[in-house]
């Protein structure tokens, strides 16, 4: 009897690989067909069958212009495709934004999951009961009684930055803002989060944490735009995956370092072996819990000048007297570190630039600030509500240059918009905050810097969802009051000392990464007042 030769191992592997590839392609085709059917009611720009709209965005300073062009052509919403099967409904009108943000729909589990190796499962990415519980536990930490003593800390950090700027005022040379402001906001967050006096503003060379955050934002953005990187294994094995892990390690080390500094030095006598067993700082957190318990028992907490963010996290208890786990605390600290310094740095930098471009408004702010300070050199808590014109200028800059240009949610149930169009469960909806802020059907002459848009009577005449720099609804930014306070203090202290001047040779090109940056930096000149 004739026997067929048995197939070689290489042929078996090839056959299995071919079968796997066919199954992957089939899955992509099924997902694409489903997505196209869902998006039938929402016309959009032409799309490439493989790359989607990814090749339309070059990260060259013109991507937001493309979004506005499409927003003008497709009112309310249009689909954006990232690869052959992932589609996101991009909304850019207050009526649509309101429908989504008044719900408790979670962050999407596609883009935001890329943050988890860096930030953990904190407020930014968590969902369901975990998010509700954490939000409830952390909300008291942003009460005005807690925020009040932070004003002095932020003011001190701003003064350090401004002292460094004296050299630019004397030379009248142009300089790049973002790096200076990032160090200032990092210094502030160190003091507010850990009661730690940082030397980050005076150290020479690039700050490794700030560079790591910049790299992580870039790599998260890159991973989302390159659909093969959506696969965890492919990204992990890629050079970009290695860069991401390296940057995340630097960011985590920075957090652990300052958690350690926050400890009672007498209790930080662990052996090197123990330190290595707790690479994410959970051992440090446990030690700090013990110290805080001792302080509470001895009545020392009440005598402290202020509670920092770590104190708030460690003291938080739910109705069952259960607190946050050590890993949860680490995740929230990492999240607060990132969102509390990088997004605020973006906001402050663009405010300075917009005031430099609009000297008449800058002068009105300065007059208001000097009148409020009345000869003092430090901005205080009571001054925050005494600068209405400056606050309107800050809000107008946040409209033109929102620090977070977009957010997204994933539907857990069907959603119907005011015009009757419905999207089913499972769809990812992106809120273009920049597109909403520049919507010409809502904002007259949207590119003009006009702080009077935020006069009370003008605010009352439009939808509250026309201006959402901190999102809106149940999942709005928990730290928005902290951020607004920091921006007010930074602007007040700066305009008291310097006049900001536009550099005509350096026009920034906005780039929407995780936060709004500029491809070529944000440059201004300054003069002493």
């Amino acid at each position: 009897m004739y026997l067929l030769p048995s197939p070689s191992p290489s042929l078996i592997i090839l056959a299995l690989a071919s079968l796997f590839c066919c199954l992957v392609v089939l899955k992509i085709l099924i997902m694409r067909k489903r997505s196209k059917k869902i998006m039938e009611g929402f016309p959009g720009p032409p799309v490439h069958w493989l790359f989607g709209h990814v090749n339309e965005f070059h990260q060259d300073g013109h991507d937001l212009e493309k979004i506005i062009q499409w927003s003008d052509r497709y009112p309310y919403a249009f689909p954006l495709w990232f690869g052959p099967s992932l589609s996101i409904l991009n909304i850019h009108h207050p009526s649509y934004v309101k429908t989504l943000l008044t719900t408790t729909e979670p962050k999407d589990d596609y883009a935001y999951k890329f943050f988890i190796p860096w930030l953990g499962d904190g407020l930014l990415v968590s969902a369901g009961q975990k998010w509700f519980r954490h939000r409830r536990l952390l909300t008291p930490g942003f009460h005005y009684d807690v925020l009040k003593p932070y004003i002095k800390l932020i003011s001190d950090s701003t003064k350090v930055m401004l002292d460094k700027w004296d050299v630019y005022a004397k030379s009248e040379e142009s300089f790049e803002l973002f790096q200076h402001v990032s160090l200032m906001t990092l210094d502030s967050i160190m003091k507010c989060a850990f009661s730690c006096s940082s030397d980050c503003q005076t150290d020479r060379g690039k700050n490794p944490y700030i560079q790591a955050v910049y790299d992580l934002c870039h790599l998260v953005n890159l991973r989302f735009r390159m659909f093969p990187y959506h696969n965890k294994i492919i990204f992990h094995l890629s050079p970009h995956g290695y860069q991401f892990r390296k940057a995340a390690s630097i960011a985590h080390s920075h957090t652990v370092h300052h958690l350690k500094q926050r400890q009672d030095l007498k209790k930080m006598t662990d052996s090197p072996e123990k330190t290595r067993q707790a690479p994410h700082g959970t051992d440090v957190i446990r030690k700090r819990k013990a110290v805080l318990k001792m302080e509470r028992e001895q009545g020392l907490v009440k005598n402290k000048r202020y509670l920092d963010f770590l104190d708030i996290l460690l003291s938080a208890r739910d109705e069952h007297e259960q607190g946050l786990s050590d890993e949860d605390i680490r995740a929230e600290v990492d999240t607060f570190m990132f969102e509390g310094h990088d997004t605020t740095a973006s906001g402050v930098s663009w405010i300075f630039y917009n005031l430099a471009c609009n000297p008449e408004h800058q002068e009105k702010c300065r007059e208001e600030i000097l009148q409020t300070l009345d000869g003092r050199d430090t901005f205080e808590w009571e001054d925050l509500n005494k600068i209405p014109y400056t606050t309107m200028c800050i809000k107008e800059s946040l409209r033109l240059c929102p620090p977070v240009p977009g957010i997204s949610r994933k539907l857990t149930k069907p959603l119907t918009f005011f015009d009757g169009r419905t999207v089913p469960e499972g769809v990812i909806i992106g809120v273009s905050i920049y597109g909403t802020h520049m919507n010409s059907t809502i904002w007259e002459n949207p590119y003009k810097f006009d702080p009077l848009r935020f006069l009370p009577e003008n605010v009352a005449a439009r939808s509250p969802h026309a201006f959402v720099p901190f999102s809106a609804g149940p999942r709005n930014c928990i730290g928005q009051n902290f951020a607004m306070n920091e921006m007010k203090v930074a602007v007040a202290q700066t305009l008291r000392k310097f006049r900001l001047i536009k550099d005509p040779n350096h026009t920034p090109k906005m780039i929407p990464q995780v936060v709004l940056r500029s491809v070529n930096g944000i440059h201004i000149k300054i003069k002493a007042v």
Side-chain angles (χ1 to χ4, degrees):
M1 185 171 63
Y2 178 75
L3 295 177
L4 292 173
S6 59
S8 66
S10 58
L11 285 176
I12 294 174
I13 293 172
L14 180 62
L16 290 174
S18 300
L19 178 61
F20 176 77
C21 290
C22 289
L23 290 174
V24 169
V25 171
L26 181 62
K27 180 182 177 182
I28 290 174
L29 291 175
I30 291 172
M31 291 173 63
R32 179 177 178 81
K33 184 177 180 180
R34 177 181 178 273
S35 295
K36 288 184 71 174
K37 185 171 180 60
I38 289 171
M39 297 297 176
E40 278 180 348
F42 298 92
V47 57
H48 189 277
W49 69 272
L50 180 60
F51 299 111
H53 294 112
V54 171
N55 286 344
E56 298 286 343
F57 302 110
H58 305 292
Q59 299 283 283
D60 59 356
H62 298 289
D63 292 355
L64 291 174
E65 296 172 14
K66 180 75 70 174
I67 291 293
I68 298 304
Q69 291 172 12
W70 288 343
S71 298
D72 290 340
R73 195 178 307 163
Y74 307 103
Y76 301 111
F78 58 88
L80 283 175
W81 289 78
F82 295 88
S85 59
L86 176 61
S87 62
I88 293 175
L89 183 62
N90 184 75
I91 63 177
H92 53 87
H93 189 279
S95 298
Y96 266 48
V97 173
K98 177 183 178 181
T99 303
L100 179 67
L101 295 187
T102 50
T103 71
T104 57
E105 295 291 35
K107 302 287 180 71
D108 86 76
D109 58 359
Y110 217 102
Y112 285 92
K113 71 180 179 182
F114 301 150
F115 287 96
I116 292 177
W118 166 23
L119 300 178
D121 197 17
L123 273 183
L124 180 66
V125 298
S126 59
Q129 287 304 310
K130 181 173 184 177
W131 177 84
F132 278 108
R133 180 173 181 268
H134 283 213
R135 177 81 180 206
R136 188 170 66 252
L137 289 175
L138 297 186
T139 295
F142 295 91
H143 189 272
Y144 71 90
D145 284 337
V146 176
L147 297 179
K148 186 175 181 179
Y150 293 171
I151 300 303
K152 172 69 165 57
L153 305 177
I154 296 168
S155 183
D156 290 344
S157 295
T158 305
K159 286 180 180 179
V160 174
M161 178 184 74
L162 298 179
D163 286 345
K164 291 165 58 184
W165 286 10
D166 284 333
V167 64
Y168 300 116
K170 292 175 183 177
S171 67
E172 297 187 5
E173 292 181 359
S174 173
F175 68 100
E176 205 283 319
L177 271 176
F178 206 108
Q179 57 180 327
H180 287 275
V181 178
S182 288
L183 287 170
M184 183 273 289
T185 56
L186 180 61
D187 191 20
S188 296
I189 215 71
M190 288 290 93
K191 295 172 181 175
C192 299
F194 300 113
S195 300
C196 170
S197 295
S198 167
D199 297 323
C200 66
Q201 292 201 74
T202 53
D203 287 343
R204 294 186 178 275
K206 282 190 175 183
N207 182 279
Y209 176 76
I210 286 179
Q211 184 61 45
V213 169
Y214 178 86
D215 292 341
L216 288 164
C217 288
H218 167 71
L219 291 166
V220 167
N221 185 60
L222 177 71
R223 185 177 181 186
F224 182 71
R225 293 174 66 246
M226 294 183 63
F227 69 88
Y229 278 176
H230 295 179
N231 181 280
K232 186 176 181 179
I233 296 175
I234 293 176
F235 182 71
H236 184 85
L237 295 175
S238 71
H240 291 122
Y242 171 77
Q243 292 172 23
F244 181 90
R245 294 191 298 278
K246 183 178 179 181
S249 177
I250 293 171
H252 292 157
S253 297
H254 179 272
T255 303
V256 171
H257 172 71
H258 289 287
L259 280 169
K260 286 180 178 178
Q261 281 194 341
R262 182 67 175 77
Q263 296 296 331
D264 182 279
L265 291 177
K266 291 182 180 180
K267 294 183 175 288
M268 292 302 295
T269 56
D270 284 323
S271 66
E273 288 77 17
K274 267 194 176 180
T275 302
R276 282 195 293 269
Q277 288 171 2
H280 297 301
T282 53
D283 188 56
V284 177
I285 291 169
R286 282 193 291 271
K287 288 174 175 290
R288 177 58 199 151
K289 279 182 177 179
V291 173
L292 189 65
K293 181 181 179 182
M294 179 193 70
E295 290 175 345
R296 192 183 297 112
E297 290 172 351
Q298 296 178 4
L300 299 177
V301 173
K302 292 182 180 179
N303 296 326
K304 290 182 67 174
R305 290 185 300 114
Y306 65 91
L307 290 175
D308 60 31
F309 184 64
L310 185 56
D311 285 330
I312 301 296
L313 288 173
L314 294 171
S315 303
R317 293 292 182 274
D318 60 19
E319 63 273 16
H320 304 295
E321 285 301 309
Q322 296 298 311
L324 296 169
S325 71
D326 297 339
E327 282 300 319
D328 287 340
I329 290 172
R330 218 295 306 278
E332 299 301 354
V333 168
D334 281 330
T335 300
F336 187 62
M337 283 287 299
F338 162 60
E339 294 199 276
H341 110 265
D342 205 41
T343 55
T344 311
S346 174
V348 171
S349 298
W350 289 109
I351 290 165
F352 286 167
Y353 175 75
N354 282 315
L355 289 175
C357 293
N358 296 275
E360 68 281 10
H361 295 298
Q362 181 188 159
E363 196 56 41
K364 288 182 180 180
C365 292
R366 183 175 293 105
E367 291 173 4
E368 180 181 67
I369 290 163
L370 293 175
Q371 182 178 356
T372 299
L373 288 172
D374 193 24
R376 290 179 286 116
D377 68 349
T378 301
F379 205 71
E380 298 175 354
W381 174 263
E382 291 74 17
D383 301 323
L384 291 173
N385 294 323
K386 297 178 182 178
I387 50 170
Y389 194 84
T390 304
T391 301
M392 290 193 296
C393 287
I394 291 172
K395 289 181 177 179
E396 177 65 348
S397 181
L398 292 175
R399 182 189 69 83
L400 288 166
C401 308
V404 179
I407 57 177
S408 56
R409 302 283 188 267
K410 184 173 182 178
L411 299 184
T412 59
K413 53 185 176 293
L415 187 70
T416 301
F417 295 106
F418 79 99
D419 56 3
R421 290 190 286 186
T422 299
V423 284
E425 173 187 350
V427 170
I428 297 175
I429 301 182
V431 179
S432 175
I433 294 176
Y434 182 80
T436 304
H437 288 184
M438 303 301 288
N439 192 316
S440 59
T441 66
I442 306 299
W443 304 93
E444 184 179 353
N445 197 0
Y447 290 95
K448 179 183 179 182
F449 185 89
D450 181 10
L452 298 184
R453 301 180 199 271
F454 292 94
L455 284 169
E457 57 269 29
N458 292 334
V459 172
R462 64 175 174 263
S463 167
H465 291 85
F467 177 67
V468 286
F470 301 104
S471 186
R475 292 199 66 135
N476 66 351
C477 174
I478 194 174
Q480 60 182 293
N481 289 330
F482 177 91
M484 279 298 296
N485 291 348
E486 184 165 14
M487 287 186 276
K488 288 181 182 182
V489 172
V491 170
Q493 294 289 152
T494 302
L495 295 190
R496 186 193 73 83
K497 187 172 183 179
F498 295 119
R499 182 167 283 106
L500 311 179
I501 303 166
K502 179 183 178 181
D503 178 3
N505 297 319
H506 292 90
T507 300
K509 298 179 179 180
M510 291 193 296
I511 176 173
Q513 292 190 342
V514 177
V515 301
L516 188 66
R517 301 180 184 273
S518 170
V519 175
N520 55 339
I522 305 173
H523 294 77
I524 62 167
K525 298 180 180 181
I526 58 174
K527 284 185 179 179
V529 173

